């Protein structure tokens, strides 16, 4: 039976960073249980009082908001109010797992200013600093194992996909061979989905973690004045859990519940005068702000929709208000289009708003954003036998499309094609047949396809002279070139960025220098920084295995 539930909203305040400490910023945020209070800076209060003669005229001195959870992480870990990564997981992660294993779709997304702790909350680090995504993934398999032991009729299948939305284009993070942006389509039964997105079948947490690590390495990040490792894209890690219960009277029949867990790490909102971004970084920031603004419009429209529906029940709303309440601009952005079911649809949704303790304007904007989101009401239903029902509907639609294509007349309303042109009918028919083939794949075929994809990924990296080492727990231990080939690797103050670039030294002479059109001959290995056009060269004797470096002129090597 459908259940109406409001979006669960949590606010988390990060510690002050070094930049805020250097400028002597004051803590403006305080939390007490579920209440979050933002205090106006002292300078702003004095200016408002001197201008208007009242501290309340230029804006309230304190603004208080009530949320489902208020996490204080700005103080010492010994503070009784301190909320660790485990605390956030126990409140939100455990609830997500409970709903997902019961057959509900779930979504968790983090929103906030750049550098406010979104990626730390969602992905985190290692050990005790692990975020929601790895903790949910690990506990998912622990809960699956426990339930299977209690009921031998149960079996589970888990699939994962990982995508990023960069400059309003969708990229598959699990397929290194795919360089083109993927197409977002919408189906009457499936809703919005990404065509040709890789869905990897996994059976253990280590396999899921391996895909997660490799996807994180492919994600677009860059340094700005506000954040040294700023996410330049929105990332969506999706876990599809199929719970199958065998019929005790008939082994060939079973009931299935399919739930989807969408874990969204949004890129942070940013201001150009604060990040000092130029060129490509400035365009990326504009795209990020554009998609977040579209998300804000959707949240505002859904919140207003609930208010107008309440007025309509009381008989106090006009016809114009009822028409406006029905329109939600989901298609203004790829992000909002993909999150359509999570916002106002069939999902249990959790929002984590991350804030800075010292930035008044950005924190106020985030708190207002979160305050609107808590008014959204989702209608969640248990998704039972979704695949069987979907395959049947798709087959009926394929039969209708083939009939319409043969007759060359427009399709009836309710089917995928909106017009009757032969080309569009053929395109819709091909898309539906692809979906049916994908849904009808056996579990063994999906496992084989995932193993083949893993081999292709490793072969693609080996073609570049790189091999990914995995230990038995599935943890990435770095990128290494083949042992029998001499090579150069990069070093970086960030351990995660070290050994990510490998330059193989070929037999014979290998020239090292910077990129320059004025050089007599281009360098084989081109480096940036204070490097001459012809800095040095290597002599590698393949027969003896002797490698000699020769500096050019007085260059240091």
């Amino acid at each position: 039976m459908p259940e109406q539930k409001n979006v669960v909203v949590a606010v988390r305040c990060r510690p002050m960073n070094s930049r805020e400490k250097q400028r002597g910023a004051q803590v403006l945020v305080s939390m007490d249980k579920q209440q979050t209070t933002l205090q106006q800076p002292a300078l702003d209060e004095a200016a408002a009082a001197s201008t208007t003669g009242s501290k309340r005229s230029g804006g309230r001195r304190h603004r208080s908001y009530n949320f489902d959870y208020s996490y204080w992480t700005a103080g010492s870990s010994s503070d009784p109010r301190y909320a660790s990564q485990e605390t956030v997981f126990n409140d939100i992660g455990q609830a997500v797992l409970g709903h997902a294993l019961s057959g509900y779709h779930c979504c968790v997304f983090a929103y906030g200013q750049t550098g406010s702790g979104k990626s730390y909350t969602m992905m985190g680090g290692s050990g005790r600093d692990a975020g929601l995504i790895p903790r949910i993934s690990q506990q998912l398999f622990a809960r699956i194992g426990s339930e299977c032991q209690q009921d031998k009729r149960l079996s589970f299948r888990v699939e994962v996909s990982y995508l990023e939305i960069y400059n309003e284009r969708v990229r598959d993070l699990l397929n290194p061979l795919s360089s083109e942006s993927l197409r977002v389509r919408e189906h009457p039964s499936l809703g919005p989905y990404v065509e040709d997105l890789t869905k990897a079948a996994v059976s253990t947490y280590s396999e899921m973690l391996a895909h997660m690590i490799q996807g994180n390495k492919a994600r677009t990040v860059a340094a700005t004045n506000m954040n040294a490792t700023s996410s330049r894209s929105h990332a969506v890690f999706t876990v599809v859990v199929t719970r199958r219960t065998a019929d005790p009277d008939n082994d060939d029949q079973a009931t299935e519940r399919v739930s989807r867990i969408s874990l969204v790490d949004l890129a942070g909102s940013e201001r150009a005068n604060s990040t000092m971004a130029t060129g490509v970084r400035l365009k990326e920031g504009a795209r990020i702000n554009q998609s977040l603004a579209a998300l804000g419009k959707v949240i505002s429209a859904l919140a207003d929709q609930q208010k107008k529906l309440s007025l309509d029940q009381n008989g106090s709303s006009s016809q114009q208000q009822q028409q406006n309440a029905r329109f939600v601009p989901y298609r203004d952005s790829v992000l909002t289009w993909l999150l359509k079911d999570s916002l106002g649809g069939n999902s249990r949704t959790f929002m984590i708003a991350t804030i800075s303790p010292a930035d008044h304007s950005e924190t106020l904007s985030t708190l207002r954003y979160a305050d609107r989101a808590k008014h959204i009401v989702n209608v969640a239903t248990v998704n039972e036998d979704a695949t069987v029902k979907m395959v049947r509907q798709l087959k009926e639609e394929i039969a209708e499309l083939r009939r319409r294509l043969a007759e060359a007349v427009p399709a009836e309303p309710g089917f995928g094609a909106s017009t009757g042109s032969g080309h569009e009918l053929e395109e819709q028919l091909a898309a539906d047949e692809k979906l049916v083939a994908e849904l009808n794949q056996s579990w063994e075929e999906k496992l084989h396809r995932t193993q083949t994809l893993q081999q292709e990924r490793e072969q693609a990296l080996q073609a570049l002279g790189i091999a990914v080492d995995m230990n038995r727990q599935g943890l990435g231990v770095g990128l290494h070139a083949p042992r029998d080939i001499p090579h150069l690797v990069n070093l970086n103050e960030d351990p995660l960025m070290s050994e990510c670039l490998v330059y193989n030294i070929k037999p014979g002479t290998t020239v090292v220098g910077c990129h320059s059109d004025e050089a007599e001959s281009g360098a084989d290995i081109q480096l940036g920084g204070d490097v001459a056009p012809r800095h040095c060269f290597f002599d590698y004797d393949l027969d003896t295995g002797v490698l000699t470096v020769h500096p050019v002129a007085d260059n240091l090597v």
Side-chain angles (χ1 to χ4, degrees):
M1 183 177 179
E3 296 183 6
Q4 293 188 354
K5 295 290 184 180
N6 287 74
V7 173
V8 176
V9 179
V11 174
R12 191 178 193 186
C13 183
R14 65 159 173 81
M16 295 184 67
N17 56 33
S18 57
R19 185 182 65 257
E20 292 168 342
K21 292 178 180 179
Q22 288 178 359
R23 64 183 177 88
Q26 55 181 323
V27 177
L28 305 176
V29 177
S30 61
M31 292 182 175
D32 183 17
K33 297 180 180 179
Q34 295 178 316
Q35 186 178 73
T36 300
T37 302
L38 177 64
Q39 182 179 2
Q40 194 174 20
L43 293 178
D44 292 348
E45 292 179 1
S50 62
T51 303
T52 62
S54 173
K55 293 185 178 181
R56 298 181 60 86
S57 299
R60 296 180 180 178
R61 183 176 181 180
H62 297 88
R63 290 180 172 88
S64 296
Y65 301 88
N66 289 321
F67 300 102
D68 296 281
Y69 301 102
S70 292
Y71 296 121
W72 178 257
T73 319
S76 171
S77 58
S78 60
D79 191 333
R81 300 175 300 165
Y82 184 83
S84 62
Q85 297 279 65
E86 184 177 3
T87 302
V88 178
F89 170 74
N90 289 336
D91 291 338
I92 296 178
Q94 294 287 10
V96 169
L97 288 174
H99 294 320
L101 294 178
S102 298
Y104 291 98
H105 292 328
C106 298
C107 176
V108 182
F109 66 96
Y111 172 84
Q113 179 195 13
T114 179
S116 60
K118 298 179 301 302
S119 295
Y120 176 77
T121 299
M122 295 301 295
M123 191 61 66
S126 59
R128 298 178 61 183
D129 288 335
L132 274 176
I133 294 179
R135 287 176 184 267
I136 289 175
S137 302
Q138 184 177 20
Q139 287 299 313
L140 173 64
F141 286 97
R143 294 275 292 270
I144 287 175
S146 176
E147 293 196 14
C148 288
Q149 288 182 355
Q150 296 176 3
D151 190 349
K152 301 300 182 181
R153 298 179 304 163
L154 287 178
S155 62
F156 289 86
R157 298 196 300 265
V158 181
E159 297 176 272
V160 297
S161 61
Y162 204 179
L163 63 88
E164 73 168 357
I165 304 173
Y166 175 72
N167 285 345
E168 290 297 298
R169 296 179 179 272
V170 179
R171 291 182 59 242
D172 189 351
L173 296 179
L174 296 185
N175 188 2
L177 302 179
S178 176
S179 58
E180 298 181 356
S181 61
L182 302 182
R183 184 177 180 181
V184 180
R185 302 177 66 96
E186 185 169 7
H187 190 271
S189 301
L190 287 174
Y193 70 96
V194 179
E195 190 176 27
D196 297 329
L197 180 66
T198 300
K199 298 179 181 64
V202 295
S203 54
T204 62
Y205 169 63
S206 60
E207 294 178 3
M208 181 183 290
L209 185 61
H211 291 294
M212 192 187 306
I213 291 174
Q214 293 171 358
N216 288 336
K217 289 182 179 294
R219 190 178 175 188
T220 305
V221 297
T224 66
N225 192 42
M226 296 285 289
N227 189 359
T229 56
S230 175
S231 301
R232 313 309 293 168
S233 64
H234 309 300
V236 182
F237 186 79
T238 304
V239 183
V240 178
V241 182
T242 303
R243 176 193 179 108
R244 188 175 188 272
T245 305
D247 190 341
D249 299 328
N250 189 349
D251 295 336
D252 296 333
Q253 294 183 358
T255 59
E256 290 187 351
R257 293 181 178 180
V258 181
S259 57
R260 181 180 64 248
I261 307 175
S262 300
L263 304 171
V264 186
D265 181 14
L266 298 177
S269 61
E270 56 185 46
R271 297 180 178 179
N273 57 354
S274 299
T275 60
M276 304 297 290
T278 58
V280 176
R281 300 285 88 82
L282 182 61
K283 294 180 180 178
E284 292 172 348
R287 287 286 191 176
I288 291 170
N289 290 338
Q290 179 183 355
S291 61
L292 293 177
L295 179 61
K297 291 180 181 178
V298 169
I299 290 176
S300 297
L302 290 171
D304 293 341
Q305 189 178 69
Q306 296 302 321
K307 294 179 181 179
K308 292 173 183 177
L309 289 176
S310 299
L311 293 175
D312 183 48
Q313 292 176 356
N314 297 329
S316 57
S317 63
S318 63
Q319 184 177 1
Q320 181 64 32
Q321 288 176 330
Q322 295 176 8
Q323 293 177 355
N324 294 335
R326 288 193 294 266
F327 175 73
V328 180
Y330 287 112
R331 287 179 175 257
D332 285 0
S333 171
V334 175
L335 174 66
T336 53
W337 194 5
L338 288 177
L339 294 180
K340 180 179 180 180
D341 283 342
S342 302
L343 297 172
N346 176 23
S347 176
R348 296 288 183 87
T349 303
F350 301 78
M351 173 183 176
I352 303 177
T354 57
I355 59 176
S356 164
D359 193 326
H360 181 269
S361 60
E362 290 290 348
T363 299
L364 179 60
S365 175
T366 303
L367 291 176
R368 287 174 172 171
Y369 207 99
D371 190 59
R372 291 196 300 268
K374 69 182 183 182
H375 296 290
I376 299 175
V377 176
N378 287 350
V379 181
T381 58
V382 175
N383 303 280
E384 293 182 310
D385 295 327
T387 302
V388 176
K389 181 180 178 182
M390 191 180 306
V391 169
R392 186 182 71 252
Q393 292 177 345
L394 286 172
K395 288 182 177 179
E396 293 175 356
E397 181 175 332
I398 288 173
E400 175 67 14
L401 287 173
R402 286 175 175 171
R403 186 179 68 83
R404 293 291 176 181
L405 188 61
E407 297 176 358
V409 297
E412 295 291 339
F415 290 93
S418 58
T419 63
S421 67
H423 176 72
E424 292 181 353
L425 287 173
E426 290 177 355
E427 184 179 359
Q428 183 65 33
L429 178 61
D432 288 348
E433 289 177 340
K434 184 185 296 184
L435 281 173
V436 171
E438 182 178 333
L439 292 172
N440 283 330
Q441 279 186 338
S442 66
W443 182 243
E444 290 74 14
E445 291 174 340
K446 291 181 179 180
L447 282 175
H448 178 71
R449 181 172 177 270
T450 302
Q451 293 172 357
T452 303
L453 177 64
Q454 180 71 16
Q455 294 175 358
E456 291 178 353
R457 183 187 296 122
E458 293 178 357
Q459 291 175 359
L461 294 174
Q462 288 176 359
L464 299 175
I466 304 173
V468 180
D469 287 345
M470 292 288 175
N471 61 21
R472 293 182 179 179
Q473 285 73 33
L475 299 174
V477 295
L479 297 175
H480 305 277
R483 306 299 184 188
D484 56 347
I485 300 177
H487 56 277
L488 304 177
V489 298
N490 74 307
L491 297 178
N492 194 288
E493 59 183 6
D494 185 355
L496 294 177
M497 301 298 294
S498 296
E499 299 187 7
C500 288
L501 299 177
V502 179
Y503 302 95
N504 291 329
I505 298 177
K506 63 183 180 182
T509 301
T510 302
V511 180
V512 179
C514 68
H515 177 73
S516 176
D517 297 334
E518 299 178 357
E520 297 179 359
S521 60
D524 299 305
I525 299 177
Q526 298 181 357
L527 305 176
D530 190 13
V531 179
R534 290 180 60 85
H535 196 83
C536 65
F537 62 92
F538 292 91
D539 281 335
Y540 176 40
D541 191 338
L542 186 61
D543 296 331
T544 61
V546 176
L547 177 67
T548 308
V549 58
H550 301 279
V552 177
D554 296 330
N555 297 325
L556 298 177
V557 294

